[in-house]
Amino acid sequence: MTFLTLLLQAAPGGGFTSLLFPILIGAVLYFFMIRPQQRKTAEAKSFRESLVKGSRVVTIGGLHGTLVEVGPETVLLEVERGQRLRFDRNAIARLAGSPATEATTTASPA
């Protein structure tokens, strides 16, 4: 018999076995869904805090530019020949020369 079968055939009177299944489901949800999302959020926060003037970045809308000014809440992005746009810091998706973009642009067409 499998472990799951044993859990499903637990006595209807309750006991530790009937509590084991919800605890097991909670642990699976935590380790496969909640914890990775928390890690991803922390990485994004540390990336946005590490932005410096002069970095080439891409916004969440796909706009490429160079950071001219970095404030606590906003950044000033120079996009083309003096055109400057102010964005919220959360709108910066990644650096323009990140490995993910280099891998897709340097791959030769089949």
Side-chain angles (χ1 to χ4, degrees), residues 7-19:
L7 286 176
L8 294 175
Q9 292 177 355
F16 178 72
T17 313
S18 63
L19 289 177

Side-chain angles (χ1 to χ4, degrees), residues 1-9:
M1 293 184 134
T2 65
F3 181 70
L4 185 59
T5 308
L6 290 174
L7 286 176
L8 294 175
Q9 292 177 355

Side-chain angles (χ1 to χ4, degrees):
M1 293 184 134
T2 65
F3 181 70
L4 185 59
T5 308
L6 290 174
L7 286 176
L8 294 175
Q9 292 177 355
F16 178 72
T17 313
S18 63
L19 289 177
L20 189 60
F21 191 68
I23 292 170
L24 184 65
I25 294 295
V28 167
L29 285 174
Y30 176 75
F31 284 109
F32 288 107
M33 295 179 73
I34 297 169
R35 191 170 173 213
Q37 184 61 39
Q38 288 175 339
R39 184 176 297 146
K40 185 177 179 182
T41 303
E43 287 173 0
K45 183 180 178 184
S46 67
F47 164 72
R48 290 187 178 112
E49 289 174 353
S50 70
L51 292 174
V52 293
K53 183 178 174 181
S55 299
R56 301 242 340 123
V57 296
V58 180
T59 66
I60 56 175
L63 190 65
H64 294 246
T66 304
L67 292 176
V68 177
E69 179 184 305
V70 179
E73 296 292 323
T74 62
V75 294
L76 190 62
L77 191 67
E78 185 171 335
V79 289
E80 184 179 328
R81 288 182 247 130
Q83 295 294 317
R84 294 179 176 192
L85 303 169
R86 186 164 303 279
F87 285 93
D88 191 63
R89 253 189 147 146
N90 294 330
I92 306 300
R94 59 183 165 81
L95 294 174
S98 68
T101 56
E102 290 175 4
T104 56
T105 57
T106 58
S108 60

